[in-house]
Amino acid sequence: MKRVGNILMVALLLATTTAMAQGPRNRGNNSGVQQGKSGYCMLNLTPEQEQKINDLRVNHLKEVTPIKNELREKQAHLRTLESADKPDMAAINKTIDEIGALKTKLMKARVAHRNEVSQLLTDEQRVIFNSRGNRGFKNGMKGRKGRGMGKGMGIGPCMSN
């Protein structure tokens, strides 16, 4: 009898491990899957517009990536300063000011990029583009750090081609 119990326990353990290894089920909501028109597709861009917007995106990323990296470094430095036994408030305040300056720089670059993209659009496309606001046409992460892929707007001008 004890042997049958051990065999059942091992079988249950294997079944559970196998089920967990397969990951969560979608439950029919297609989360993580592109649905309908996504990204810039909803704007019905011409191939020329897509190319110009892609070029602008690449240049924008080249500009903001070093700033984002520096921002992360400053934020880590701030956490280090704050966790000291006797925090140096002058250094903390200076780092906070530096973080604020970097965030301002990023926001200005983001607005300038959106303006450049907007200038490439027709009036009808611009209405749709502006209605997205800061939600924009981002990748599937939808701005939710670390929460996996959602029903986002896709990466790039048109993912459904």
Side-chain angles (χ1 to χ4, degrees):
M1 189 67 167
K2 190 174 185 180
R3 186 171 180 199
V4 172
N6 285 342
I7 292 172
L8 287 174
M9 183 70 94
V10 170
L12 180 63
L13 181 62
L14 286 174
T16 304
T17 304
T18 303
M20 290 178 69
Q22 293 178 2
R25 302 278 184 212
N26 276 342
R27 306 248 187 258
N29 67 0
N30 292 327
S31 58
V33 177
Q34 300 287 329
Q35 293 181 344
K37 287 194 170 186
S38 61
Y40 288 103
C41 290
M42 59 185 8
L43 297 177
N44 297 318
L45 298 172
T46 66
E48 295 81 23
Q49 286 175 315
E50 285 184 16
Q51 183 58 50
K52 288 178 182 177
I53 289 172
N54 189 50
D55 293 344
L56 287 174
R57 181 185 311 105
V58 169
N59 291 334
H60 175 68
L61 289 174
K62 284 180 181 178
E63 176 187 356
V64 299
T65 298
I67 300 169
K68 286 182 178 183
N69 291 338
E70 186 178 355
L71 176 61
R72 288 183 193 105
E73 289 173 8
K74 296 290 183 188
Q75 290 169 331
H77 182 65
L78 178 62
R79 285 190 299 275
T80 302
L81 291 172
E82 291 174 333
S83 64
D85 289 338
K86 294 183 180 180
D88 179 357
M89 290 307 295
I92 288 173
N93 288 333
K94 180 181 177 209
T95 304
I96 290 171
D97 291 339
E98 292 169 348
I99 288 171
L102 290 171
K103 286 184 175 183
T104 299
K105 212 174 191 181
L106 282 173
M107 189 177 286
K108 287 180 178 181
R110 189 175 300 122
V111 169
H113 173 67
R114 281 189 55 81
N115 184 53
E116 289 174 337
V117 170
S118 179
Q119 297 304 311
L120 298 174
L121 305 175
T122 65
D123 288 341
E124 182 180 334
Q125 291 169 329
R126 195 172 296 120
V127 168
I128 296 169
F129 181 76
N130 290 336
S131 72
R132 298 292 304 162
N134 283 336
R135 293 183 318 247
F137 299 91
K138 298 179 181 177
N139 66 15
M141 294 298 284
K142 292 171 62 175
R144 301 178 317 190
K145 294 179 183 174
R147 294 193 188 159
M149 300 299 283
K151 296 178 187 172
M153 299 311 295
I155 300 173
C158 192
M159 294 298 292
S160 62
N161 283 345

